[in-house]
Amino acid sequence: MRRQARFFMGSVVMALVAVLVMGGTAQAATWSSSDKWGTWSNGGYTVRNNVWGGGAGPQSIWANSYSNFGVWADHPNTGGVKSYPHSAKHVGRQLSGLRSLSSSFNVSRPGGGAYATAYDIWANNNAYEIMLWMNKQGAVGAIGSKETTVSVGGHTWDVYRGSNGANAVFSFLRTSDTNAGSVDVLAVLNWIKNRGWYGDVTVGEVQFGFEITSSSGGMNFAANSYSVASS
């Protein structure tokens, strides 16, 4: 785990940590943190600030619930992912034992910077990482090489397959950006299985958030709603 860097931005950051601006009205968030590893448990989900990348700037997370959270982030215009603030739901079930696994989301995001709004789904104790990019901005790209374009789970994706050195990564990049919708996650996971890229894996966490590479000057990201349902 990388050494934690601390940033001090005076009263501006303190206000951003403590206050959420919604509809022009300042309201105190239920939870907030400027700690890079800040976490909060709510409703069976875990919300994480998750500033994990090298060369990151300050980032403050807030949440009113697992479903409604966001960050203010000021990461420099350099390459490499700096953070992945997200809300996560642990599933912990084998693929063949799931009858359904779906999720819905609604986000507000900046028009600048470099980032992707994405699901990060883990399987077999993090041996497999499945990313579903719902939108992207700026100079960002998927790991590996493009395999195909497919319509599955309610969306059309460009599919990339590769490795980050620690685990296999399957990235599904939506062919057009969207800020709201629902995804049949189980259909996507079964599509990967049917390609022979993995077997009857155990699904771990379904995470959703913002994979931020740069947001120089300070930018706001918000999940207005997010939820996961399984049976």
Side-chain angles (χ1 to χ4, degrees), residues 145-150 157-161 171-172 191 197:
S145 56
K146 183 179 175 181
E147 294 282 337
T148 188
T149 299
V150 64
W157 323 85
D158 290 329
V159 182
Y160 290 75
R161 183 185 184 191
S171 299
F172 291 68
W191 182 88
W197 293 350

Side-chain angles (χ1 to χ4, degrees), residues 67-104:
S67 180
N68 176 218
F69 66 94
V71 296
W72 174 87
D74 185 6
H75 300 303
N77 289 327
T78 54
V81 175
K82 309 301 190 301
S83 68
Y84 178 59
H86 64 268
S87 179
K89 177 70 171 179
H90 182 71
V91 177
R93 294 177 61 183
Q94 202 165 0
L95 197 55
S96 60
L98 285 166
R99 292 180 298 170
S100 65
L101 178 60
S102 62
S103 180
S104 62

Side-chain angles (χ1 to χ4, degrees), residues 6 16 38-39 44 52 59 72 85 110 141 148 169 197 207 222 225 229 231:
R6 297 186 181 277
L16 285 164
T39 63
W52 64 267
Q59 179 174 294
W72 174 87
T148 188
V169 183
W197 293 350
Q207 305 171 349
S225 64
S231 64

Side-chain angles (χ1 to χ4, degrees), residues 151-157 174 182-184 187-188:
S151 293
V152 64
H155 305 268
T156 301
W157 323 85
R174 200 174 188 276
S182 59
V183 185
D184 184 344
V188 174

Side-chain angles (χ1 to χ4, degrees), residues 119-123 128-130 132 185 189 203 205-207:
Y119 287 88
D120 209 0
I121 302 161
W122 298 89
Y128 300 101
E129 180 180 10
I130 302 94
L132 311 180
V185 176
L189 299 182
V203 181
E205 284 194 343
V206 176
Q207 305 171 349

Side-chain angles (χ1 to χ4, degrees), residues 6 8 25 54 63-64 87 97 104 129 136 141 164 197 220 223-224:
R6 297 186 181 277
F8 298 91
T25 303
N64 289 313
S87 179
S104 62
E129 180 180 10
K136 58 186 183 294
N164 62 18
W197 293 350
N220 289 295
N224 304 311

